[in-house]
Amino acid sequence: MKNLRLIFILASLCTVGIVITQVYWVRRAYVFENKKFDLNVNIALRDVAVKVWEYKQSQAAMYNVVTRVSSDYYFVKINEHIEQEILEHFLKESFTTNDLYTDFVYGLHDCMNNDMEYKRFINLSNRTARPTDFVDIPKTKIENYYFVVYFPTRKDYLASQLTFWMISSVFLVGVLLFMAYIVYVILNQKRLSQMQKDFVKNMTHEFKTPLASIQLASSVLKKPTIIQNPGRLLNYATIIESEAKRLEMQVERVLQMSLGQKRELELNKKMTDIRPIITDVISMYHTKLESRQGIVLADLGEQPVMLNIDIEHMSIALSNLIDNAIKYTPEEVSPKISVILKDQPKQVSLTISDNGIGIDKSNVRHIFERFYRVSTGNVHNVKGFGIGLNYVKAIMDLHEGKIICESEPNHGSSFTIILPKPEAEK
């Protein structure tokens, strides 16, 4: 299990490293495409300026022809007035030559009026066109004719150039998530397998103990001299009966848990006062508590608390909680159990607290799982199958109620059962 956890940790570190590396290369690819776009735009716009000068048969400028004012705006000096159709033709031709199939807005600055003489949106990407105007045109000190180009969909265009990177990243993340899920399933199956092994070991131990007692008692009863001692005869017969009942109880618990897990239990509900049920369950453990000088402090109120419940299954569920409270109290400590019943307007709560060894927070969330047992360093240190609390939760679910556990190591545990009151009383 430790090796599997180590592999899981190393795999997690590798996954994080792969994700970070992928993000890094995607960002580098974006930066590269951004620089490539800017370079192609500069080349295309200078080519347009040269074509304008050739068309106008004027002298070409040598330096600072194209100026990038912002990430989306470019100014191009031409020093000549140019017709809209001609400028648009030159722009389309240069952009397609330089693989710039992106939407743009262009306009010619009129130096006489210090305003845009014309402007137009060009849908060069063959996507659905939407009219776009200049937004907050940056100020410039150029006092001659120039045209400006604005790329309103620059970010979308760059993102489209990274399609391969995006798809590969999504695919990689999907593969990593799938691998993480596989590892989670493996760890979970490993944990369940270990829990089932512990269950089989505990069940074997629980069955072997009474069987050994029965075999020992029966071997003594076979001796002819036992008839001459009625006291011993009765004693060994009582042992056989007691251990047989113990076996019957263990088998019944396993069968009930199997049915409860599959939701095949059919509850025989009826309106009854829950207080006598609690009292009867407590009385079942009178001898066991007396042998350990333990006590049960019960506060059940004076008025009947009527609930629509299955008496038999509710009794077994409460018995499991009382039995656990005794079992998980150290041998050197006298069990002190508190049972408090509260009758509220819409629900009834029953809290069973003890002064036992308590449960760590990391284990509290698992204690209602089938076969789960909190490790105490010795699997047989406290006898049980790890199905009692799971059975209790199953019964509470079937009664549309719930059970809550509050516990701290070395400070005991507190289990609170909450059951809804009958509709007639709501």
Side-chain angles (χ1 to χ4, degrees), residues 201-268:
K201 290 179 182 179
N202 280 282
M203 184 174 64
T204 303
H205 179 78
E206 288 288 316
F207 285 168
K208 277 186 175 181
T209 302
L211 283 173
S213 300
I214 291 173
Q215 288 174 349
L216 179 62
S218 62
S219 64
V220 174
L221 291 176
K222 287 180 180 180
K223 295 179 180 180
T225 56
I226 194 69
I227 301 177
Q228 300 173 5
N229 193 336
R232 289 187 65 193
L233 181 63
L234 178 62
N235 183 40
Y236 284 110
T238 303
I239 290 174
I240 292 175
E241 182 184 19
S242 175
E243 295 301 328
K245 286 184 178 180
R246 181 177 171 185
L247 274 174
E248 182 184 9
M249 181 181 296
Q250 299 294 6
V251 173
E252 185 67 21
R253 283 186 177 181
V254 174
L255 291 176
Q256 288 172 345
M257 189 62 251
S258 176
L259 291 173
Q261 186 67 23
K262 294 179 181 179
R263 292 297 186 270
E264 294 175 355
L265 282 172
E266 292 184 4
L267 299 183
N268 183 20

Side-chain angles (χ1 to χ4, degrees), residues 287-313:
T287 304
K288 185 180 287 188
L289 286 167
E290 192 176 52
S291 66
R292 295 187 56 184
Q293 299 179 345
I295 58 172
V296 175
L297 303 176
D299 182 7
L300 307 180
E302 299 179 356
Q303 300 297 324
V305 180
M306 305 302 294
L307 290 173
N308 187 25
I309 57 176
D310 184 299
I311 298 176
E312 180 182 356
H313 289 295

Side-chain angles (χ1 to χ4, degrees), residues 250-351:
Q250 299 294 6
V251 173
E252 185 67 21
R253 283 186 177 181
V254 174
L255 291 176
Q256 288 172 345
M257 189 62 251
S258 176
L259 291 173
Q261 186 67 23
K262 294 179 181 179
R263 292 297 186 270
E264 294 175 355
L265 282 172
E266 292 184 4
L267 299 183
N268 183 20
K269 292 184 179 181
K270 64 179 180 178
M271 291 296 298
T272 185
D273 184 2
I274 195 174
R275 296 182 306 153
I277 299 175
I278 301 172
T279 304
D280 291 343
V281 171
I282 294 174
S283 64
M284 291 169 54
Y285 293 91
H286 176 73
T287 304
K288 185 180 287 188
L289 286 167
E290 192 176 52
S291 66
R292 295 187 56 184
Q293 299 179 345
I295 58 172
V296 175
L297 303 176
D299 182 7
L300 307 180
E302 299 179 356
Q303 300 297 324
V305 180
M306 305 302 294
L307 290 173
N308 187 25
I309 57 176
D310 184 299
I311 298 176
E312 180 182 356
H313 289 295
M314 188 60 65
S315 298
I316 297 174
L318 297 179
S319 174
N320 283 335
L321 293 177
I322 298 294
D323 188 49
N324 283 348
I326 299 173
K327 286 196 304 184
Y328 289 97
T329 300
E331 290 293 333
E332 65 275 9
V333 178
S334 297
K336 184 177 181 180
I337 302 171
S338 170
V339 180
I340 300 175
L341 181 67
K342 292 183 180 180
D343 188 4
Q344 300 170 344
K346 294 185 178 181
Q347 62 188 24
V348 172
S349 65
L350 176 65
T351 302

Side-chain angles (χ1 to χ4, degrees), residues 92 95-96 100-104 121-130 153 156-157 160-161:
K92 288 182 178 180
F95 278 17
T96 53
L100 290 170
Y101 295 94
T102 180
D103 301 337
F104 65 93
F121 172 78
I122 303 299
N123 180 24
L124 201 61
S125 63
N126 293 325
R127 297 174 183 172
T128 304
R130 53 185 179 86
T153 59
D156 295 338
Y157 174 78
S160 67
Q161 300 303 304

